[in-house]
Amino acid sequence: MRLSRISLLAGMALCVAAAGHAEPTPPAKAAKQAAEQVEDRARVSDYLTGRAAQLDHDWATAGPAIRRAWESDRDDVGLRHDALLLSISGGDFAGALQVAKAIPADSTDAPLANFILTLDDFVAGRFAAAQAKLTGEPARGLDRYLTPVLTAWSEVGRGRKAEAMAALAQLDQLGGVDALRQLQGAMVSDALGDHAQAASTYDKILEGTPPLHAIILAAQFYQRQGDADKARKTIERIDPDGSSASLREEMLARLSDRSRVPPAPDARSGAADALFSIAASLIAEKQNDIAPLLYAQFALYLHPDFPSAELLLAEIDQRWGRLDGSAAALLAVNEKSEMRSTAERMAMSILDKAKEDDRALKVGQAGVKAHPADMDMLLSYADLLREKSKFPEAIAAYDTALAKIPPTSNRKGLTLYHRGIAYQQAHQWPHAETDLLAALQLRPDDPGLLNYLAFSWADQGVNLDRARTMLERAIQLVPDDGAIVDSLGWVMYRSGDYDEAIKQLERAVSLDANDATINDHLGDAYWRAGRQLEARTQWEKAERLSDDKTLSEQIRAKLKDGLDSVENPPRHASVN
């Protein structure tokens, strides 16, 4: 956009308003000038609105605003470029098409405009036209990989098997694309009805260590072919205790319901999968520019009901701090999709991060009700309840989970640990101690668990020798954790070894100088060692750092009357 012109127009408007002594302007000319000034102000307003939204990564607002500014000045090449990119970024392909159709063939934006028009051909079923556009452009950058794949899918749309496989064969001349070549080959064969070839290719893919997306597609293919046993074995390759456990359980639960299996790929969904693969690979390479977003939006334009792409879009929004947009993308996932429970669990976490406690709890509650067999959902909801100090509800949720968790699952120890925390914070120490000791049997080298149990004992002045041994082990595991070193210092303090306590607590403060409780503990140790001036200095620092009302009141009492007037405040150990 010609900013100098807009600035000049804005300045002229101010000058005209201030020039009360100027000669009167004829009515017709005055009306024209007034209309132009209104138009210029609207253009400036749209431009500034769009730029502000762009800086905030609010593409849905930025695209239409910049496009309106461009529509008022269609000769502005820079505005046209931004209008195209921002419209795509916000998923506004009607707007993107409007801009793309206005881009001349000799423009530097012509390749991107041509690509948008190609995708529009896919959406409209004009596969011959799409193919012509793809082959009419020289392949550069990612297009060297993408053009053969999209050409293959345009041939699928035309029902031409030999031509589709020939287009895919062009990938054989490129390096580093074996996984893409295999997966796209399996999907093309499936789409064209060559199920024997598709099965052979999927079998080969599974001989290696395929990504999650390939496992999903293979399992869905086997299920469509009626091979439930092979589908089950494929799904069971997903880690039952990992981040995709929700998806694993959903897919296993659907094995007997053929009506809920996604259909075989077609030209649009297959092409969308290729675009998604590009976006996912760019994210994996930690690309933080706009490219992963563009490819994710391309995929969703071709295939709007594409949960994997929606989850990727949510991840991109989250990376840019767009938590509301991320949650919205997740909650837009089709309720019938096998990824819906995963999306709801992720949305609950993002809303919690956004400090939207009520919405997060509602999403979790609804998710647990909708997916009663989903252990990930139940445990995530229980953890959220505990973090929000809803301890009875959290304990009840952990009870339900522990009744279902297999004894051999890695989840059992962690769930006992977290229920133990909930019991401890609910002032039910006997139950808490039982859970924490049981968890320790299953997770003997969990530094967070060692710290939590040891500090809880130290705070009560019991089992101090064992607490010290446990904390020394935790420090071996994570030497520079200020909270764990603080706990060891607190054990020394409770044992009456104030010199050793000071040594450990000074190190803890050096590791975590801004922790109010650690500074407060060091002040207590100084006081007991007869170093009252240093104690007060440390307490003053702790008071400045504290955002806990109870702790702040206790520190002020110590500053006024000394340590003997105040009972040592309890502190929750760190939870890893």
Side-chain angles (χ1 to χ4, degrees), residues 32-252:
K32 182 180 179 182
Q33 289 177 345
E36 289 175 347
Q37 290 172 13
V38 169
E39 182 180 345
D40 288 335
R41 283 197 294 270
R43 186 186 312 134
V44 171
S45 176
D46 285 333
Y47 178 80
L48 295 177
T49 297
R51 283 291 175 251
Q54 182 183 0
L55 290 172
D56 197 32
H57 303 111
D58 181 3
W59 317 114
T61 300
I66 294 297
R67 196 167 62 251
R68 286 193 301 272
W70 164 71
E71 286 169 351
S72 298
D73 188 2
R74 287 196 166 218
D75 293 333
D76 193 314
V77 175
L79 261 186
R80 187 182 66 204
H81 170 82
D82 290 348
L84 180 61
L85 280 180
L86 293 171
S87 295
I88 299 168
S89 300
D92 180 3
F93 280 90
L97 280 166
Q98 178 189 351
V99 181
K101 291 175 181 177
I103 293 176
D106 60 351
S107 167
T108 56
D109 283 331
L112 179 56
N114 184 71
F115 190 70
I116 296 299
L117 296 172
T118 303
L119 296 183
D120 185 52
D121 286 336
F122 265 89
V123 171
R126 298 185 295 264
F127 298 113
Q131 184 181 346
K133 289 183 176 69
L134 287 166
T135 55
E137 286 287 332
R140 293 166 291 199
L142 288 174
D143 290 343
R144 292 181 301 137
Y145 307 96
L146 198 53
T147 296
V149 176
L150 294 185
T151 300
W153 284 111
S154 69
E155 296 287 14
V156 169
R158 300 174 72 185
R160 307 202 310 178
K161 178 180 176 181
E163 290 82 352
M165 301 310 292
L168 276 182
Q170 297 176 38
L171 292 174
D172 297 337
Q173 303 170 24
L174 304 173
V177 292
D178 289 347
L180 176 67
R181 169 75 169 91
Q182 281 189 319
L183 187 58
Q184 289 293 310
M187 294 177 69
V188 166
S189 296
D190 186 16
L192 290 168
D194 190 347
H195 298 143
Q197 181 58 50
S200 175
T201 307
Y202 276 124
D203 289 347
K204 189 173 182 180
I205 289 171
L206 293 174
E207 288 174 2
T209 54
L212 175 64
H213 187 59
I215 291 174
I216 295 169
L217 292 175
Q220 291 172 347
F221 168 77
Y222 295 136
Q223 189 178 1
R224 279 195 298 272
Q225 301 313 303
D227 194 341
D229 183 59
K230 205 166 189 178
R232 179 178 297 279
K233 289 178 180 177
T234 302
I235 296 167
E236 287 175 346
R237 296 182 62 154
I238 302 172
D239 182 2
D241 294 330
S243 60
S244 298
S246 293
L247 173 63
R248 181 185 195 270
E249 295 309 312
E250 283 288 333
M251 292 185 71
L252 287 173

Side-chain angles (χ1 to χ4, degrees), residues 216 247 254 307-308 311 333 337-344:
I216 295 169
L247 173 63
R254 292 168 183 234
S308 294
L311 264 62
V333 170
S337 167
E338 69 274 8
M339 290 190 177
R340 175 66 185 191
S341 61
T342 300
E344 288 176 342

Side-chain angles (χ1 to χ4, degrees), residues 311-328:
L311 264 62
L312 187 63
L313 188 62
E315 181 182 346
I316 293 169
D317 274 337
Q318 189 176 4
R319 287 189 179 194
W320 276 324
R322 296 287 304 173
L323 300 182
D324 283 347
S326 180

Side-chain angles (χ1 to χ4, degrees), residues 265-565:
D266 58 17
R268 283 180 61 177
S269 64
D273 197 274
L275 293 163
F276 162 77
S277 295
I278 296 291
S281 66
L282 292 173
I283 285 290
E285 294 169 6
K286 302 194 182 302
Q287 294 261 1
N288 288 323
D289 60 13
I290 203 172
L293 173 63
L294 297 180
Y295 281 98
Q297 293 288 22
F298 292 152
L300 285 168
Y301 178 45
L302 289 185
H303 186 26
D305 187 9
F306 192 173
S308 294
E310 289 171 306
L311 264 62
L312 187 63
L313 188 62
E315 181 182 346
I316 293 169
D317 274 337
Q318 189 176 4
R319 287 189 179 194
W320 276 324
R322 296 287 304 173
L323 300 182
D324 283 347
S326 180
L330 291 166
L331 294 175
V333 170
N334 192 322
E335 292 185 358
K336 296 181 179 180
S337 167
E338 69 274 8
M339 290 190 177
R340 175 66 185 191
S341 61
T342 300
E344 288 176 342
R345 178 170 50 81
M346 293 170 65
M348 176 174 57
S349 173
I350 288 168
L351 290 169
D352 175 38
K353 190 179 296 185
K355 309 298 183 187
E356 295 193 42
D357 294 355
D358 290 342
R359 283 187 68 197
L361 288 166
K362 286 179 180 177
V363 168
Q365 185 179 37
V368 168
K369 184 177 180 181
H371 312 283
D374 188 335
M375 192 59 61
D376 262 6
M377 176 66 77
L378 178 58
L379 289 174
S380 296
Y381 181 52
D383 288 344
L384 182 63
L385 288 168
R386 171 174 53 83
E387 290 161 10
K388 302 309 173 189
S389 301
K390 296 181 179 294
F391 303 123
E393 296 93 331
I395 291 166
Y398 288 128
D399 289 345
T400 301
L402 284 165
K404 298 178 180 180
I405 294 175
T408 56
S409 172
N410 291 332
R411 295 175 185 275
K412 185 171 183 181
L414 188 61
T415 304
L416 286 165
Y417 172 23
H418 289 172
R419 188 175 70 174
I421 295 170
Y423 272 130
Q424 193 268 347
Q425 293 179 346
H427 308 295
Q428 298 184 50
W429 175 246
H431 289 305
E433 186 176 43
T434 298
D435 273 358
L436 295 171
L437 286 168
L440 193 61
Q441 292 294 313
L442 299 170
R443 303 171 67 86
D445 286 331
D446 184 326
L449 173 55
L450 289 165
N451 181 44
Y452 200 93
L453 179 54
F455 185 88
S456 298
W457 280 336
D459 213 42
Q460 299 172 59
V462 301
N463 299 331
L464 296 179
D465 289 342
R466 187 177 178 189
R468 177 172 180 168
T469 301
M470 289 164 60
L471 289 166
E472 287 171 344
R473 173 57 181 155
I475 290 172
Q476 286 179 343
L477 295 166
V478 281
D480 297 327
D481 189 305
I484 297 177
V485 176
D486 169 58
S487 295
L488 180 58
W490 199 241
V491 168
M492 305 300 186
Y493 178 91
R494 286 297 202 184
S495 301
D497 188 349
Y498 300 125
D499 290 339
E500 185 62 25
I502 289 170
K503 177 181 175 181
Q504 295 297 335
L505 292 168
E506 285 179 337
R507 179 166 180 261
V509 167
S510 72
L511 292 169
D512 196 350
N514 294 320
D515 188 293
T517 301
I518 296 176
N519 282 278
D520 178 51
H521 282 170
L522 179 56
D524 291 0
Y526 280 149
W527 183 276
R528 293 299 186 198
R531 297 162 62 175
Q532 279 81 5
L533 182 59
E534 290 168 281
R536 291 186 180 280
T537 299
Q538 210 64 41
W539 288 333
E540 287 170 353
K541 180 181 178 182
E543 186 188 16
R544 289 195 302 272
L545 293 170
S546 176
D547 57 3
D548 181 278
K549 182 179 179 181
T550 301
L551 178 60
S552 297
E553 290 174 353
Q554 290 165 336
I555 293 171
R556 284 193 290 269
K558 286 187 285 191
L559 285 168
K560 180 181 178 183
D561 299 318
L563 179 59
D564 295 332
S565 66

